[in-house]
Amino acid sequence: GINLEASYPIKKSGNPPKPGPSPPSPVSPPSVCDTSYSCPASTTCCCILPLGNSCFAWGCCPLESATCCDDHYHCCPKDYPICYVEAGLCLKNRKDTVGTKILTRTPAEFHWPAQVQQKLVLESRSA
């Protein structure tokens, strides 16, 4: 026949204690371009002022592992590594005719090198 009583367990005790707060998410470190410049976390450093094998100023592409375009102003997502600056596009490959919109770099944050910072602090204290 048909059961006349409930066939599921019946709670006989209180609720378990609530878990504590979850630990904070780890903060991603900034992208270090060189000893004087850095970009925010999850961005890519791209040289905007090269001279020979050196870079005198950096820009930040708003994506991780981005491709820096040769015009020193734009960048492309890693999945679209070909810069087609004239059309304002980033292409997946040479046959790609649609692509995605090219991105513009933002200026990197400048940091005085540690030696210069120490010298400035010492000079300000002696003034």
Side-chain angles (χ1 to χ4, degrees), residues 92-107:
K92 276 193 178 210
N93 55 53
R94 299 256 177 238
K95 295 177 184 170
D96 186 358
T97 56
V98 180
T100 188
K101 189 175 187 298
I102 203 165
L103 299 163
T104 304
R105 303 175 200 176
T106 58

Side-chain angles (χ1 to χ4, degrees), residues 17-25:
K18 290 188 177 187
S22 58
S25 302

Side-chain angles (χ1 to χ4, degrees), residues 14-122:
N15 290 332
K18 290 188 177 187
S22 58
S25 302
V27 176
S28 298
S31 299
V32 177
C33 305
D34 64 12
T35 57
S36 300
Y37 289 92
S38 67
C39 289
S42 303
T43 63
T44 302
C45 293
C46 291
C47 185
I48 58 174
L49 187 59
L51 187 60
N53 291 332
S54 299
C55 184
F56 290 94
W58 293 88
C60 306
C61 185
L63 297 168
E64 276 189 90
S65 305
T67 299
C68 303
C69 299
D70 290 339
D71 70 345
H72 308 295
Y73 185 72
H74 295 98
C75 55
C76 289
K78 67 179 175 185
D79 296 341
Y80 292 81
I82 299 172
C83 300
Y84 186 10
V85 177
E86 297 80 7
L89 293 173
C90 300
L91 307 175
K92 276 193 178 210
N93 55 53
R94 299 256 177 238
K95 295 177 184 170
D96 186 358
T97 56
V98 180
T100 188
K101 189 175 187 298
I102 203 165
L103 299 163
T104 304
R105 303 175 200 176
T106 58
E109 188 174 334
F110 178 77
H111 308 279
W112 288 101
Q115 304 91 326
V116 175
Q117 282 181 348
Q118 285 179 325
K119 187 173 188 241
L120 290 172
V121 168
L122 293 173

Side-chain angles (χ1 to χ4, degrees), residues 4-28:
L4 296 177
E5 291 192 32
S7 61
Y8 49 85
I10 297 176
K11 186 174 173 181
K12 295 179 182 153
S13 63
N15 290 332
K18 290 188 177 187
S22 58
S25 302
V27 176
S28 298

